[in-house]
Each structure stands twice: as structure tokens, then as C-alpha cells.
Amino acid sequence: MHRPQTALEALAWRRLLISSWPWRSAGYLIATVPVAIVAGALMAVPAVPWLVLVAGGYPAGAVVLLVLLGAVLIAATSPLIAVPVASLARRRLHLADRQQPGSWAGRENAAGGAVPWLRARYRDPAAWRQTGYACLLATVVPALAVTTLLAAPLAVAFIASPFLVLAQQPGSSPVALFGH
């Protein structure tokens, strides 16, 4: 069989456990956290009007205005914010996929200045896919990371519990989580 080019292809490879693919996949997952932090920090900037709403105490008209202003700022700046996030994601993807992913770089270097570049950026479907990816990365990935960090000790406790029961001295009281 040929050498796998992606982590998915490597799953069917007989030499998977002695190859670099498990380490590459782990590196890909670990590298997600810094990219998510960058995405979250960049996506928080246009959401400042919504952060002001958290303080509370505003009349209904101001609340509506702040909600609309936040939505307009996010819609206007997200495709621009997605450029560095997508660039980091493409670099990270090289860990789990040896094939080179497509890039928006060919269109980023459009001749004619900033206005044609912005026009091309906002009309390109790839820019909006990158924007969706950045939004998910900024919101869903941190929640999944926290959930994983909270679930890991629980999994360790479940794995260790049979050994704790076996290590118990004969005739002692039963094992209890919240004992007397």
C-alpha cells in the first residue's frame, strides 16, 4: 500500500501505530486551541456593542440600536477577520493532510488596490465559508475544549474505580463517593 497522504487514509494503514500519524493528529488537535484563541480574540472586536449590552440598564431603543450595530459590524468585518484565521488553519491542516489545501491567496493579490480586493473578498463564497469557520472556531471549539477538560477526570475516575475496589481490604466498609 502507498504511504497515506491524510490522517483518514492512515487509519487503514497497517503501520499506523509505528508511524508519525498519531503524533501528527495529536499535534493538529493541540494546535486547534491557539487558533481558536486567535479567532475568538479577533471576532470579539466587532462584537463590542453586544458586550456593552451586557452591562445593562439601557432603554429599549438603545438596545435595538446596539444589537443592529453589532450585527452590521460583524457582517462587515468578519470576512476580513477570517483571512488570518484561515491562513493559520491552512498551516495547521498540513499536520493532518500532506496535500496542499486550496488558498484564497490567488484572489488576495488582485491588482487594482484595496477597493477591487474588498469587492472580490465580499463576493467570494470561499470568504464566507472562511467566515463561518472562524465563527465556529471562536464559539464552538472553546466550549468543546472546556467540556473535554471537565470530562477527562471523570473518565480517569471511571477507569480507576474497579482497581480501587480491588485494592480495598477485606471486611472494610464499601466504597462510597459521598460517604458518612
Side-chain angles (χ1 to χ4, degrees):
M1 181 176 172
H2 69 286
R3 293 185 61 83
Q5 295 298 308
T6 66
L8 186 60
E9 289 176 6
L11 287 175
W13 197 33
R14 297 173 95 188
R15 300 178 48 117
L16 171 67
L17 295 178
I18 59 171
S19 71
S20 65
W21 283 107
W23 297 108
R24 293 170 67 100
S25 298
Y28 175 81
L29 292 174
I30 291 169
T32 301
V33 175
V35 177
I37 290 170
V38 168
L42 291 174
M43 295 301 274
V45 172
V48 167
W50 292 346
L51 297 175
V52 169
L53 279 177
V54 173
Y58 294 100
V63 169
V64 169
L65 182 65
L66 285 171
V67 167
L68 290 175
L69 180 62
V72 167
L73 280 174
I74 287 175
T77 60
S78 292
L80 302 176
I81 290 170
V83 172
V85 173
S87 176
L88 282 172
R90 278 191 293 274
R91 286 189 179 102
R92 183 175 60 95
L93 183 62
H94 187 66
L95 288 171
D97 189 351
R98 289 186 179 163
Q99 301 166 354
Q100 289 295 329
S103 173
W104 205 77
R107 295 180 290 266
E108 286 176 348
N109 299 327
V115 174
W117 181 84
L118 285 172
R119 189 174 296 128
R121 181 77 184 152
Y122 282 96
R123 289 182 180 170
D124 188 14
W128 293 103
R129 285 191 299 272
Q130 291 173 354
T131 300
Y133 174 76
C135 288
L136 285 174
L137 198 61
T139 56
V140 175
V141 169
L144 290 175
V146 168
T147 303
T148 303
L149 287 175
L150 293 176
L154 187 62
V156 169
F158 285 159
I159 292 169
S161 63
F163 300 109
L164 293 174
V165 170
L166 286 175
Q168 189 178 14
Q169 297 295 327
S172 61
S173 62
V175 176
L177 282 177
F178 303 103
H180 297 60

